[in-house]
Amino acid sequence: VQDTDLCVMNVQTVVFNDDRINLDALQKLVIVPTEAVEFIARLYIAYFNRLPDAEGLRHWVTQHQHGLSLDTITHYFLQQDEAIDLREMTDQVLIETAYRQILSRAPDAVGREYWGETLKSEDLNRSDLFLAIMHAALSTDSADRDQLNEISELAMYFAWHSGLSDIDSASV
């Protein structure tokens, strides 16, 4: 149907040939600031080393809509079985893991030393290291920021725009 308005009610997903539009996700996208949705999507990448699944992302976005802060959501991510076990890792292994999961690379010598000293001085909680590295990468004009933005765009497409929930296909 071309150049025709169509009114649909109580429809969650519309499929056109090879394209699928999740109307429920689009409605929530309008209600929640994009930055908050992207932040939650990045938590999946940082702590679970995978793209978010649609159901999980919608769950946490809904929690945020109902007043749960992003800091509290981050805390809940760390309590999930899927989250890496921060208590078992040495500082150096933790830094290596954070770089690999967030930036898809090994830490350089300067980064390894900086984050190691920051953890040693207890200026940063071990559980906040992943967020600190993510924020540092996003705050500079660098290949790391570009890498993280690319993965974030993929995450948003996978879960938010396409509504996909196949966790096996979501590894980064």
Side-chain angles (χ1 to χ4, degrees):
V1 179
Q2 198 172 37
D3 295 327
T4 303
D5 291 336
L6 179 64
C7 179
V8 293
M9 296 174 60
N10 298 321
V11 175
Q12 291 181 335
T13 304
V14 178
V15 178
F16 300 97
N17 295 331
D18 294 334
D19 293 324
R20 176 180 173 186
I21 300 172
N22 186 318
L23 299 177
D24 185 45
L26 289 176
Q27 178 187 8
K28 289 179 181 172
L29 186 61
V30 173
I31 296 170
V32 177
T34 303
E35 296 82 23
V37 179
E38 288 175 349
F39 179 86
I40 295 168
R42 287 180 178 131
L43 291 177
Y44 279 86
I45 295 163
Y47 293 110
F48 298 163
N49 196 29
R50 67 171 175 84
L51 301 175
D53 56 288
E55 293 170 19
L57 184 59
R58 276 195 219 106
H59 167 78
W60 291 114
V61 167
T62 300
Q63 295 303 310
H64 184 59
Q65 284 176 307
H66 290 108
L68 201 61
S69 74
L70 294 174
D71 286 341
T72 302
I73 291 172
T74 301
H75 177 74
Y76 283 127
F77 263 73
L78 290 169
Q79 294 178 1
Q80 302 300 311
D81 291 340
E82 193 175 353
I84 60 169
D85 192 350
L86 303 176
R87 295 174 302 276
E88 303 286 326
M89 295 182 180
T90 65
D91 286 353
Q92 290 305 310
V93 172
L94 186 68
I95 293 166
E96 178 81 23
T97 301
Y99 267 74
R100 293 244 180 251
Q101 290 188 190
I102 297 166
L103 305 175
S104 301
R105 69 172 177 84
D108 54 22
V110 173
R112 181 180 283 115
E113 183 178 342
Y114 172 80
W115 294 113
E117 290 300 318
T118 303
L119 288 173
K120 188 183 292 183
S121 68
E122 298 182 1
D123 288 339
L124 181 69
N125 186 310
R126 290 170 57 88
S127 62
D128 293 332
L129 175 69
F130 287 72
L131 288 179
I133 291 173
M134 188 183 330
H135 289 307
L138 291 170
S139 68
T140 62
D141 186 15
S142 66
D144 287 336
R145 183 185 73 187
D146 295 343
Q147 169 72 14
L148 188 52
N149 282 335
E150 274 185 38
I151 293 172
S152 296
E153 286 177 23
L154 181 61
M156 294 298 289
Y157 177 79
F158 181 85
W160 200 252
H161 301 293
S162 297
L164 301 176
S165 289
D166 181 5
I167 295 173
D168 294 333
S169 299
S171 62
V172 178

